[in-house]
């Protein structure tokens, strides 16, 4: 088994081009995700690469390096539109997991119950990807996640950052998670919302995303359009709004229960995000 921890992106990409292997950052899911499969023969640790632990902001948006941890997000000085992402960060495992686990690792793991994904979707997140052969590209998060444990990453590519475009003024985020207990739990269902309200208290912009109710978290775009002009307290959710979802029955909950619960979550998240 080989383990390589370079301090430059160039070295990391050169190594990956020659010997594709398991990329790790916090590494909190590496062994649990493998199940009974044998461990990888090669590991590439990206936590020492220059710039990968930085959070930066500019007029075009915000950039979270691929080794930024959940604890980094909780501590970061971010505007209210990131409140949903911060709330999700506090729900990821234990404090020890939050100190080690990374935002980029959460999306690369591509679990249907990945806590960070719905909040990132409400922020229109893009995934910055690099390879030695093709340089850098950006992929919308919704296109990056292609299925359960599947992403658009090629064998010679790694995620370098999560990019969040500039957000509308006055927009606020919120996050709701339901599990079998309060902490250290995989979601039964979860909802993130980002909402802006006008001077009259009516919704002027809304983004709503639901996780753990489909193979990949889903934006509910029809509902987003229908709530425009409503007071957050007047929002209701119907079966038609939830049609894009495809929950399953499993040990954590029945599909019907997930749909009932997520409808209530959406209402709570919109009201929380829409309250000034």
């Amino acid at each position: 088994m080989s383990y390589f921890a370079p301090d430059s992106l160039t070295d990391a990409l050169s190594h990956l081009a020659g010997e594709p292997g398991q990329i790790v950052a916090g590494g909190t899911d590496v062994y649990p995700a493998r199940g009974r499969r044998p461990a990888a023969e090669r590991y590439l640790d990206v936590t020492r690469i220059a710039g990968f632990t930085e959070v930066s902001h500019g007029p075009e948006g915000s950039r979270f390096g691929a080794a930024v941890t959940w604890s980094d997000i909780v501590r970061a000085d971010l505007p209210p539109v990131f409140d949903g992402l911060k709330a999700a960060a506090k729900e990821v495992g234990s404090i020890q997991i939050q100190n080690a686990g990374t935002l980029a690792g959460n999306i690369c793991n591509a679990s249907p119950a990945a806590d960070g994904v719905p909040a990132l979707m409400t922020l229109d997140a893009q995934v910055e990807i690099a390879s030695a052969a093709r340089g850098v590209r950006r992929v919308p998060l919704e296109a990056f996640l292609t299925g359960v444990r599947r992403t658009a990453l090629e064998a010679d590519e790694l995620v370098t950052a999560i990019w969040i475009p500039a957000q509308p003024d006055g927009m606020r985020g919120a996050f709701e998670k339901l599990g079998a207990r309060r902490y250290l739990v995989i979601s039964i269902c979860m909802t993130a919302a980002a909402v802006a309200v006008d001077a009259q208290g009516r919704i002027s912009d809304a983004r709503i995303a639901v996780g753990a109710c489909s193979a990949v978290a889903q934006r509910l775009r029809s509902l987003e359009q229908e709530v425009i002009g409503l007071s957050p307290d007047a929002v209701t959710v119907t079966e038609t709004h939830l049609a894009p979802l495809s929950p399953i029955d499993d040990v954590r909950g029945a599909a019907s229960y997930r749909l009932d619960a997520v409808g209530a979550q959406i209402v709570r998240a919109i009201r929380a995000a829409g309250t000034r």
Side-chain angles (χ1 to χ4, degrees):
M1 180 185 292
S2 67
Y3 189 89
F4 183 48
D7 56 13
S8 78
L9 180 59
T10 299
D11 288 346
L13 294 178
S14 296
H15 180 81
L16 197 60
E19 293 184 297
Q22 174 76 56
I23 300 169
V24 296
T28 58
D29 278 332
V30 170
Y31 283 101
R34 298 200 75 83
R36 295 181 177 273
R37 292 176 295 158
E41 295 182 0
R42 290 176 290 276
Y43 290 90
L44 172 62
D45 185 336
V46 301
T47 56
R48 300 180 189 178
I49 297 176
F52 269 38
T53 60
E54 295 177 3
V55 178
S56 58
H57 310 285
E60 295 184 357
S62 301
R63 186 179 185 274
F64 297 80
V68 168
T69 68
W70 294 108
S71 294
D72 292 334
I73 292 166
V74 171
R75 292 191 294 262
D77 183 15
L78 300 170
V81 71
F82 287 91
D83 284 356
L85 183 62
K86 286 199 167 204
K90 296 175 183 178
E91 297 282 357
V92 176
S94 62
I95 295 297
Q96 293 91 334
I97 294 296
Q98 293 166 20
N99 288 342
T102 63
L103 183 63
N106 193 241
I107 66 169
C108 289
N109 196 38
S111 165
D115 289 317
V117 171
L120 287 171
M121 283 187 173
T122 65
L123 295 166
D124 288 331
Q126 300 173 28
V127 185
E128 185 180 284
I129 299 168
S131 73
R134 296 177 298 283
V136 178
R137 63 186 177 116
R138 284 185 188 167
V139 179
L141 178 58
E142 291 177 78
F144 177 79
L145 297 167
T146 59
V148 178
R149 308 288 183 182
R150 299 203 313 269
T151 72
L153 272 180
E154 300 292 343
D156 65 340
E157 292 181 319
L158 61 80
V159 171
T160 54
I162 309 297
W163 174 261
I164 308 296
Q167 301 293 304
D169 291 338
M171 183 168 267
R172 184 182 297 274
F175 178 77
E176 295 281 338
K177 175 175 175 174
L178 174 65
R181 56 183 182 267
R182 184 64 184 86
Y183 296 107
L184 297 170
V185 64
I186 298 173
S187 296
I188 295 171
C189 59
M190 55 185 158
T191 299
V195 173
V197 297
D198 61 21
Q200 289 72 45
R202 307 289 181 179
I203 297 172
S204 58
D205 195 358
R207 303 171 195 158
I208 303 155
V210 172
C213 286
S214 307
V216 176
Q218 298 289 318
R219 282 275 296 269
L220 301 184
R221 298 184 186 276
S222 175
L223 179 59
E224 292 174 357
Q225 293 300 314
E226 290 191 28
V227 301
I228 302 299
L230 298 178
S231 164
D233 291 336
V235 170
T236 59
V237 178
T238 68
E239 290 184 7
T240 301
H241 294 140
L242 303 180
L245 305 179
S246 53
I248 62 171
D249 297 316
D250 66 9
V251 295
R252 289 186 292 276
S256 58
Y257 175 69
R258 283 186 159 94
L259 288 176
D260 287 344
V262 85
Q265 276 188 340
I266 291 168
V267 171
R268 288 200 298 268
I270 289 173
R271 290 177 181 174
T275 300
R276 294 191 174 186

